């Protein structure tokens, strides 16, 4: 295994890819839990590489995300330790790697939210849950909605975003009427937020409620009314001052 780790420190993409392939082979045969931290540390060291500076290593970074995902939910506690001191590049890679895991990653991520860990960890868990492509993420919906009004702004922002991401993977029939109403109300409540980034995410995700079948006929009509208000097409003629918000609203109008 040490030889494979050494290949990950190479400056050559082909050598790194070879090392990752060897580690994947080891993982497929099963490894002792005591070996996981050092393997995790070696593989995720690639997450700190700037792909803009090293475009030749983009494939290696992508493969490293899959290799970390292959470690399964046992790697999530290690991720949570890392993200406290990671940079934005690495944090995004950690989140995407968690998203490549199966539904077994959902409970440990929800546990982070339930236990009210550090703000950075909760925000990360919300982000990662939005990346998991399994209908079982419906179990995380109550936890996401709980954080929509978090006083921690990073958690609030990520929770609003996560509602729309969950809609992409949940099945409408798995969401109760009450939960559907809660999603709708949570997003509508953010349309008056002082931050245009929050308002833009809220309007975008209201569009996703329609697109993915989570909005009732009454809610669809209300959403379209809100969209028209943002665009200044209602009787008040007072459009949202942010182009970012209006852009999202226009996309909903175009899709109607």
């Amino acid at each position: 295994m040490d030889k494979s780790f050494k290949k990950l420190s190479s400056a050559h993409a082909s050598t790194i890819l070879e090392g990752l392939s060897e580690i994947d082979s080891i993982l497929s045969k099963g490894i002792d839990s005591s070996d996981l931290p050092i393997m995790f540390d070696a593989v995720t060291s690639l997450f700190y590489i700037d792909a803009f500076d090293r475009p030749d290593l983009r494939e290696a970074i992508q493969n490293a995300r899959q290799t970390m995902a292959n470690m399964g939910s046992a790697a999530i506690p290690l991720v949570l330790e890392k993200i406290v001191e990671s940079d934005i590049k690495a944090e995004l890679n950690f989140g995407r790697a968690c998203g490549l895991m199966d539904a077994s990653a959902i409970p440990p991520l929800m546990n982070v939210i339930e236990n009210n860990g550090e703000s950075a960890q909760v925000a990360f868990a919300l982000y990662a849950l939005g990346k998991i492509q399994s209908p079982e993420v419906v179990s995380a919906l109550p936890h996401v909605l709980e954080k929509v009004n978090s006083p921690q702004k990073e958690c609030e922002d990520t929770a609003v975003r996560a509602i729309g991401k969950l809609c992409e993977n949940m099945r409408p029939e798995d969401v109760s009427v009450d939960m559907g109403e809660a999603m709708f109300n949570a997003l509508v409540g953010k349309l008056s937020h002082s931050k245009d980034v929050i308002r833009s995410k809220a309007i975008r995700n209201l569009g996703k409620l329609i697109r993915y079948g989570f909005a009732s006929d009454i809610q669809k009509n209300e959403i379209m009314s809100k969209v028209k208000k943002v665009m200044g097409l209602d009787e008040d003629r007072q459009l949202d001052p942010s182009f970012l918000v209006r852009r999202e609203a226009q996309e909903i109008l175009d899709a109607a």
Side-chain angles (χ1 to χ4, degrees):
M1 204 155 49
D2 288 343
K3 291 182 179 179
S4 300
F5 292 164
K6 188 173 182 179
K7 290 178 181 179
L8 301 188
S9 63
S10 172
H12 304 288
S14 59
T15 304
I16 296 173
L17 289 169
E18 186 178 308
L20 288 170
S21 179
E22 290 172 1
I23 291 171
D24 278 330
S25 180
I26 295 169
L27 281 169
S28 68
K29 298 172 184 174
I31 65 166
D32 189 278
S33 59
S34 62
D35 292 328
L36 185 62
I38 188 170
M39 179 181 286
F40 172 88
D41 192 49
V43 170
T44 61
S45 67
L46 297 170
F47 290 178
Y48 295 84
I49 296 172
D50 191 334
F52 287 100
D53 292 337
R54 293 294 307 273
D56 57 311
L57 295 183
R58 282 178 182 161
E59 183 182 0
I61 298 168
Q62 181 178 337
N63 285 18
R65 291 199 293 263
Q66 184 59 62
T67 299
M68 195 207 93
N70 293 343
M71 296 176 190
S73 58
I76 289 179
L78 301 174
V79 173
L80 295 172
E81 291 177 10
K82 284 282 189 182
I83 61 164
V84 175
E85 298 180 356
S86 68
D87 60 22
I88 186 62
K89 298 187 302 298
E91 190 168 343
L92 290 173
N93 282 318
F94 280 120
R96 289 166 183 162
C98 287
L100 293 172
M101 294 180 184
D102 60 22
S104 66
I106 298 172
L109 289 171
M110 288 199 303
N111 188 53
V112 176
I113 301 172
E114 289 172 347
N115 291 330
N116 294 315
E118 294 184 23
S119 175
Q121 293 182 323
V122 173
F124 174 82
L126 291 165
Y127 177 80
L129 284 167
K131 288 290 184 182
I132 295 176
Q133 298 179 13
S134 167
E136 293 183 43
V137 292
V138 69
S139 61
L141 181 56
H143 299 80
V144 172
L145 289 170
E146 180 186 347
K147 293 299 179 182
V148 164
N149 294 315
S150 171
Q152 299 169 324
K153 296 306 178 184
E154 186 180 8
C155 294
E156 177 193 29
D157 182 284
T158 312
V160 173
R161 175 188 181 278
I163 292 174
K165 298 303 291 183
L166 293 185
C167 285
E168 296 176 19
N169 296 298
M170 298 185 300
R171 293 182 293 245
E173 60 268 26
D174 292 338
V175 177
S176 69
V177 174
D178 287 345
M179 280 289 102
E181 190 72 19
M183 283 196 294
F184 173 79
N185 290 335
L187 295 173
V188 168
K190 296 300 176 181
L191 293 180
S192 58
H193 201 283
S194 60
K195 288 188 176 181
D196 55 359
V197 173
I198 296 286
R199 297 198 308 278
S200 70
K201 289 177 181 177
I203 203 76
R204 179 196 313 155
N205 290 337
L206 283 168
K208 287 186 178 182
L209 292 187
I210 296 176
R211 189 186 321 160
Y212 294 105
F214 293 94
S216 66
D217 289 340
I218 293 175
Q219 289 171 343
K220 288 177 185 177
N221 290 333
E222 289 192 42
I223 290 170
M224 295 311 299
S225 176
K226 299 292 185 185
V227 167
K228 289 176 182 177
K229 182 176 181 179
V230 166
M231 297 301 293
L233 299 175
D234 63 345
E235 59 183 19
D236 293 334
R237 301 292 179 183
Q238 294 183 346
L239 74 170
D240 191 284
S242 170
F243 183 86
L244 176 63
V245 181
R246 299 197 304 274
R247 180 183 181 281
E248 297 292 349
Q250 186 63 55
E251 283 196 20
I252 297 174
L253 284 176
D254 291 345

